[in-house]
Amino acid sequence: MTHHLAQSDNRPLNLKRKFKLHEAAIRAGLFACGLLSIFTTLGIILVLGNESIAFFTRDQWVNSNRPILSAMDERTTAFTVKPGKALEAVQASGLIRVGQEVMEVLDFQNNQIDIDVVGSGGGFKHLCASDVDLAELGVKRPLLVHASRPVTQSEIERCRAQGISPIAFRVGVDALAITVSADNDFANELSFAELRQIFGEVDLWSDLRPDWPREPIQLVIPERDSGTLDFFVDAVFAGDASAMLARSPIMSENDNQLAGSIHRNPYSIGFFGYAYYLAHADDLHILALDGVAPSERTVEDGSYALSRPLFIYSDAGIMRAQPQVKDFISFYLANVNDVIVDVGYFQASSEALAKARNQWIRAAGAAELPPVNPAEVSGALIAAGSSTVFPLTERIGEMFVADGYLPRFEVRRGARGENTIAPHKAGVAVEYNDRPTLLEFFTNTSWIPAIGEFGVIPLINATLMTSTIAMLVALPLGIGAAVYLSEYASPRVRSALKPVLEILAGIPTVVYGYFALTFMTPLLRGIFGVEVVNIYNTGSAGIVVGILIIPLISSMSEDALQAVPTALREASYGLGATKLETVTNVVIPAALSGILAAFIVAASRAIGETMIVAIAAGAGPNFSFNPFDSAETMTGHIARISGGDLSYDSIDYNSIFAIGLTLFLMTFILNALSRVIISRFREAY
């Protein structure tokens, strides 16, 4: 019998699909969901990108903690502020804000006095060094050297090689104080010969005088670059310090440390400038030499054997090229006799000061020594040298600042429009414009937006640490559970255990967070000690995140193992392999793409976890590789900051979007890597 596919009237069959309303509704709904997910993703990317760009480009005003010191009217274009390190950032910004008025910085003089204690020899070494040597030392050339001895001929020759001719300005007289501890109850005075012995060949106090204790003498002396040491060696040992240095003395360039070392040992003896003895007079006892104690009279008439002149040095070229140096030296010479006794030294003679003033007049090319108004002086002052002269230079510097030598701005008012110009009261904070760079964002190891530190490395480090710990916990347990459920468990056991395991995924993460804080952290502290494990730490947070993602790894891995054809298992058994050999050598390699995909998806989940790390890991960025230290992850920081009182358009507000975009890129890369691995290792059956 023949069957005809055509209708009885020989018309062709109508194979066109009939319209069905419910199918069309389903298709339209699925299409709308797809579009919604695409536009939602694009919207998230646009918001993150836009706010991140704003973070790097928008004006972000930072309080410098430096207020203006005098009221400003609408015509003021120059003003002074308190000194401080933050002014370097102010200078670099180019724009500042006082109140709500934005000003363009035309000139900024960070007027401040930096005084470094490196010893007289160290001061001359820095003054006379080449630019290459200064760069290697990591220091700037001093404009002024304070010295407790005259410059040597060899130092003069080194300076001349750099085009520098040191000029000495005598500023006072010091008496070298020979001191012992206040607990020393036997030594009150020495002869000059005994001084040479005690710092030379004598080892025991009893070797010097039989009635003194049979105890070793501990010498306490300045470092080798010290002018004080140079003067003592010249005066006592005619320039040969070998015997004293062979005694293994305690040495320091810090005279306060020397005084402390002497005070702590009743059998020690040392020397330094008279001012440091006065500062520690309750702890030390000064020794007379040949019956003469240091005083203004004995220093002036030369009867005290260890009196010495004090100097400051500069160069005529430096003084003319850097007028602030010339002005400071003039101020120094005019005021030194008013403060030197209070500091602890003795006044230079009127003849010595007159000579110093004449030296200044010749070096400055002036007719006389004019009065100086520090409020009109601009330019930084860098001094280095003797610890002995340091207190005197420091005191003169304090007077210079008190009289008006302060950081000074020259500005163009109303940089954002003339209508913004307004008077400002004294005390209003100067704010500077700080724009973080991509390089700073990804290389700085501090994240403190309040002071302009924008390094995301601590947040990334804490995120990766918790995620790594989580994967170390979840990977073996998750794959082990998947292998058991897929290959070893009976159908009845599998149907009972798999839902129980997956219940873990349904527990709210905030519960996991408090589980980490109240159970896991005390457990770790009980094992490793409360001194080792902080209450908030990345270790406990990582372990609990690992517990959270075990169901994800086990479920996906078990699905991948179940997808391996039974024929492969049977072939393995037919060749005589055991069940364990079949699982490890056949089933797992065949399901490797799915297992790796599960691993990467779980890693993304761990990186994106918020509540556990926000509760248990810590609430402050901390760049540390110790899992027992507290640290803040990227998600934890976003949760903490966004939950606070953030002003829109503030630095903190913009920063959370930059962190969010970084987190998005990290998870996107991991998911893209997952797709590549799946396609690379997928087995076709």
Side-chain angles (χ1 to χ4, degrees):
M1 180 181 292
T2 304
H3 296 278
H4 297 281
L5 296 178
Q7 296 179 355
S8 59
D9 56 0
N10 294 323
R11 286 179 300 172
L13 292 173
N14 183 8
L15 299 179
K16 186 177 180 181
R17 189 171 186 174
K18 292 182 179 181
F19 174 78
K20 295 181 179 180
L21 181 61
H22 67 281
E23 291 182 355
I26 292 172
R27 285 197 300 271
L30 293 175
F31 181 73
C33 288
L35 284 179
L36 181 62
S37 64
I38 292 172
F39 283 115
T40 301
T41 303
L42 290 175
I44 292 172
I45 294 173
L46 287 174
V47 169
L48 288 175
N50 181 64
E51 295 296 337
S52 297
I53 291 172
F55 173 69
F56 289 105
T57 59
R58 187 174 296 156
D59 292 336
Q60 304 191 40
W61 300 103
V62 179
N63 190 332
S64 69
N65 294 318
R66 301 289 172 249
I68 59 174
L69 296 179
S70 59
M72 300 172 60
D73 60 25
E74 291 89 338
R75 296 180 300 278
T76 302
T77 59
F79 57 90
T80 57
V81 297
K82 284 187 176 180
K85 293 293 184 183
L87 290 176
E88 296 175 1
V90 178
Q91 180 181 14
S93 70
L95 289 176
I96 61 173
R97 188 170 70 172
V98 178
Q100 292 302 310
E101 180 184 354
V102 178
M103 306 176 187
E104 180 186 359
V105 179
L106 300 178
D107 183 49
F108 172 68
Q109 295 292 335
N110 193 5
N111 297 336
Q112 60 182 355
I113 304 175
D114 292 327
I115 308 175
D116 196 10
V117 176
V118 293
S120 300
F124 289 124
K125 179 181 179 181
H126 291 175
L127 176 67
C128 307
S130 67
D131 293 337
V132 174
D133 291 338
L134 289 172
E136 290 179 354
L137 292 170
V139 298
K140 295 180 180 179
R141 189 185 308 280
L143 306 176
L144 191 75
V145 173
H146 38 272
S148 56
R149 61 165 175 81
V151 63
T152 65
Q153 187 59 39
S154 62
E155 289 166 340
I156 291 174
E157 291 173 0
R158 283 201 300 271
C159 280
R160 284 176 179 167
Q162 303 301 322
I164 294 173
S165 298
I167 300 173
F169 302 94
R170 176 85 171 268
V171 293
V173 185
D174 176 35
L176 205 66
I178 308 300
T179 62
V180 294
S181 171
D183 297 329
N184 183 317
D185 57 2
F186 56 88
N188 294 305
E189 55 86 23
L190 296 171
S191 69
F192 201 83
E194 287 175 328
L195 178 70
R196 185 179 296 108
Q197 288 179 291
I198 210 168
F199 281 91
E201 67 274 9
V202 172
D203 294 321
L204 301 177
W205 286 99
S206 58
D207 292 340
L208 197 66
R209 297 187 186 181
D211 57 331
W212 284 357
R214 187 173 177 78
E215 295 287 345
I217 300 171
Q218 176 62 66
L219 303 183
V220 181
I221 66 175
E223 284 283 4
R224 294 172 188 267
D225 278 339
S226 167
T228 299
L229 179 65
D230 293 339
F231 171 78
F232 182 85
V233 171
D234 287 341
V236 178
F237 295 105
D240 183 7
S242 57
M244 180 172 61
L245 296 177
R247 299 271 301 279
S248 300
I250 295 174
M251 303 180 73
S252 173
E253 65 183 20
N254 187 322
D255 288 343
N256 290 310
Q257 291 180 359
L258 296 178
S261 297
I262 296 170
H263 168 61
R264 288 188 290 272
N265 185 351
Y267 304 109
S268 62
I269 186 171
F271 56 87
F272 34 69
Y274 191 73
Y276 286 95
Y277 159 70
L278 292 179
H280 299 273
D282 292 338
D283 300 327
L284 304 175
H285 177 59
I286 194 167
L287 303 183
L289 290 179
D290 291 323
V292 179
S295 67
E296 183 176 3
R297 181 187 61 79
T298 59
V299 167
E300 179 67 25
D301 64 20
S303 58
Y304 182 70
L306 295 180
S307 60
R308 56 176 175 165
L310 303 178
F311 302 94
I312 56 174
Y313 280 84
S314 191
D315 165 73
I318 291 175
M319 292 170 62
R320 295 182 185 185
Q322 307 269 1
Q324 72 273 19
V325 180
K326 174 185 66 176
D327 292 335
F328 182 70
I329 295 174
S330 175
F331 185 88
Y332 204 126
L333 296 176
N335 292 277
V336 64
N337 271 1
D338 295 334
V339 300
I340 192 167
V341 175
D342 290 338
V343 172
Y345 300 125
F346 308 100
Q347 294 180 351
S349 65
S350 55
E351 293 81 5
L353 275 180
K355 181 179 179 181
R357 293 188 181 105
N358 288 332
Q359 291 274 59
W360 184 94
I361 290 171
R362 286 194 296 272
E368 59 181 356
L369 193 73
V372 175
N373 181 5
E376 298 175 354
V377 176
S378 291
L381 289 164
I382 304 172
S386 166
S387 62
T388 300
V389 189
F390 166 77
L392 183 59
T393 303
E394 183 182 44
R395 180 70 64 86
I396 298 293
E398 290 170 354
M399 293 175 59
F400 204 57
V401 170
D403 286 355
Y405 176 72
L406 294 162
R408 181 184 306 277
F409 284 99
E410 292 281 349
V411 299
R412 181 173 68 85
R413 300 292 297 273
R416 293 290 171 82
E418 293 302 320
N419 294 332
T420 64
I421 298 177
H424 302 289
K425 296 180 180 179
V428 179
V430 172
E431 298 174 305
Y432 63 93
N433 188 268
D434 185 36
R435 293 183 178 179
T437 64
L438 278 172
L439 180 63
E440 176 190 4
F441 188 72
F442 287 111
T443 58
N444 194 347
T445 56
S446 296
W447 180 271
I448 315 173
I451 62 171
E453 296 284 348
F454 299 101
V456 77
I457 291 295
L459 300 177
I460 293 177
N461 178 69
T463 300
L464 295 179
M465 280 191 63
T466 55
S467 301
T468 300
I469 293 169
M471 297 312 296
L472 292 174
V473 171
L475 186 61
L477 295 178
I479 293 178
V483 170
Y484 174 75
L485 291 174
S486 173
E487 305 301 319
Y488 289 92
S490 65
R492 178 179 296 179
V493 173
R494 182 185 303 115
S495 62
L497 288 182
K498 190 168 183 180
V500 172
L501 183 63
E502 292 179 348
I503 286 175
L504 290 173
I507 299 175
T509 55
V510 67
V511 176
Y512 277 110
Y514 282 105
F515 171 75
L517 186 63
T518 60
F519 176 80
M520 191 58 64
T521 295
L523 179 63
L524 292 177
R525 300 186 95 192
I527 295 172
F528 297 102
V530 294
E531 298 85 4
V532 176
V533 182
N534 290 330
I535 293 176
Y536 299 99
N537 61 86
T538 54
S540 63
I543 291 171
V544 176
V545 171
I547 295 172
L548 170 69
I549 62 177
I550 285 174
L552 181 62
I553 293 179
S554 64
S555 180
M556 292 183 66
S557 299
E558 199 242 346
D559 290 342
L561 293 169
Q562 286 285 337
V564 176
T566 305
L568 289 180
R569 296 178 177 85
E570 293 173 347
S572 177
Y573 297 145
L575 292 173
T578 64
K579 192 174 190 65
L580 179 61
E581 290 171 336
T582 299
V583 169
T584 56
N585 297 326
V586 176
V587 179
I588 290 179
L592 185 60
S593 63
I595 294 173
L596 290 175
F599 175 77
I600 295 176
V601 171
S604 298
R605 176 70 180 86
I607 288 173
E609 172 52 34
T610 302
M611 289 309 300
I612 296 175
V613 294
I615 293 171
N622 178 27
F623 186 54
S624 172
F625 294 100
N626 185 351
F628 298 142
D629 282 346
S630 65
E632 193 167 48
T633 66
M634 302 169 77
T635 53
H637 182 77
I638 292 172
R640 177 174 66 86
I641 294 298
S642 60
D645 185 16
L646 279 183
S647 355
Y648 179 76
D649 239 9
S650 67
I651 292 176
D652 284 356
Y653 177 84
N654 292 131
S655 71
I656 62 177
F657 290 94
I659 296 170
L661 181 60
T662 305
L663 184 62
F664 172 82
L665 292 174
M666 290 172 62
T667 54
F668 175 80
I669 291 170
L670 279 174
N671 283 284
L673 184 62
S674 172
R675 299 289 299 177
V676 171
I677 289 174
I678 290 173
S679 62
R680 171 67 178 82
F681 292 98
R682 175 177 291 162
E683 298 285 350
Y685 304 108

